[in-house]
Amino acid sequence: MDWNRLLSEERLGDKKYVPQASRSIFVQDHDRIIFSAPFRRLANKTQVQPLYEHDHVHHRLIHSIEVSSVGRSLAMRIGHWLAEQNHIEAGGEHSLANIVQAACVAHDIGNPPFGHSGEDAMGAWFAEQFSEGRGLAGDLDPSLRPEFTAFEGNAQGFRILTRLEMYRNDGGMRLSKATLGAFMKYPVTAKTRAAVKASGDASYVGLKKFGVFSSETALFEDVAASLGLPEERIGDQTWWRRHPLVFVVEAADDICYNIVDIEDAFTTGELSYEAVVKILVEAAKPRDAGAGDRNQAEHVAMLRAMAIGKAIDSCVEAFKAHYEPIMAGTFSGALTEVGEMAPIFENMRKLSSDHIFTARRKTELEISGRRIIGNVMSGILPVFEDLASVNWQAERIGARSQQLVRALDLDLRDLTTPASALHALADYTSGMTDRYALRISKMLSGH
């Protein structure tokens, strides 16, 4: 892969765009994302800990901002090295930093309410509809079902960025192709991924999940062609190797959720002060691990900051060490898993798995979230079924459906097929905040 193409300033959907000397397009990308409604709604979406019970735990908006800060630092350090090695022009490190910062603030923009359990809840609801095989679910092309039964926030994020926001159906936010490439963790559709798995070799990291809905495939094909991402084919279907900066975005996310989740677990009382200090000292390796005159929260915060700094060092060196396979599109690991701190990250993941992800409050959230999402989707599905029954003419739907459209501000534009209708249902549900989903669930169920 060639950095001149990978750092493309072309805008998706805006061929007339001319870069401005006074303001980088990558900075504009960042600004467009953070001023968008889907980004703003992340302030009321669960990260790991359930919201409402403690004001100081992380929600997805704060997490996204912190990831963007770490990602910017990582990319700047890597960019300096690339410039020293003459892989990019001097000053190009600023473009790298701005691209990664923009991709990082967008990385969770497609996630539904109630954390990753929300994805599972939506997928389970769709699976139930397909098993019954009635209405829109029965009419959908069966090859598209995996897009819904394994509902994926990454694919929803790309849909938001490139179709739903700002210039609807005309490039979306019209971000640079470099930022969109750095965002795309899984450059494959669900259908193509299934074909690759059936062929026997889906070990590449970019095939772990799917990241593009069929409805946005042409948009990503445009992005990938401009960036020069290596193509792989299986039959008549195509998938792509990752943009090198995806590994940087992913590392920033890994650093934040591993280290900050532990700080949050101390805040909520799920991990003891002693256990948190022990693992953060292992990560930070401070000359003086003592608290001094700090209270426990201040001591943990200091060690957390130092641990993030060490993690950045580790990931920068890992990028350098694996530079050639990363640029060839053959690297299939994570920078946090191949660097000096890999054993510490593994210990952090185990600690989280044993004490955080199984915590009672989190389990309660997942159970109630599943019921809430099911109530919402079952409550509004009849509107889309009604729309299909009148040949997609919104003005002809019944009075009950019209009432729900007004009450919920449902968007029925551009719906002409079962796939587009089910995507609109998913757009609405995944766009909800935790609080709003709870309120609408109560309204629809009469409780």
Side-chain angles (χ1 to χ4, degrees), residues 100-166:
V100 169
Q101 183 179 29
C104 283
V105 292
H107 85 282
D108 270 350
I109 204 166
N111 282 27
F114 308 113
H116 288 295
S117 66
E119 289 177 310
D120 295 338
M122 290 181 66
W125 184 89
F126 277 118
E128 186 176 336
Q129 302 302 310
F130 294 137
S131 70
E132 295 175 0
R134 296 194 300 268
L136 290 171
D139 293 338
L140 183 75
D141 179 348
S143 70
L144 297 179
R145 288 183 179 181
E147 296 190 356
F148 298 95
T149 57
F151 183 79
E152 179 52 53
N154 289 289
Q156 186 66 26
F158 187 74
R159 178 173 167 84
I160 288 168
L161 298 176
T162 62
R163 182 179 297 281
L164 300 182
E165 285 297 306
M166 291 183 66

Side-chain angles (χ1 to χ4, degrees), residues 29-67:
D29 289 346
H30 172 268
D31 294 350
R32 286 186 174 192
I33 294 163
I34 65 168
F35 278 98
S36 70
F39 182 76
R40 193 161 56 247
R41 287 195 291 266
L42 294 176
N44 285 300
K45 291 192 179 187
T46 293
Q47 169 61 18
V48 170
Q49 298 289 350
L51 299 180
Y52 328 134
E53 298 188 24
H54 202 299
D55 288 340
H56 299 291
V57 298
H58 286 70
H59 49 66
R60 287 205 177 269
L61 189 144
I62 291 297
H63 167 71
S64 297
I65 292 171
E66 291 179 348
V67 170

Side-chain angles (χ1 to χ4, degrees), residues 2 7 26 33 49 61 70 151 155 184 202 256 278 311 361 433:
D2 175 8
L7 304 183
F26 309 129
I33 294 163
Q49 298 289 350
L61 189 144
V70 172
F151 183 79
M184 182 55 69
C256 287
K278 180 177 183 294
R361 293 184 314 116
T433 64

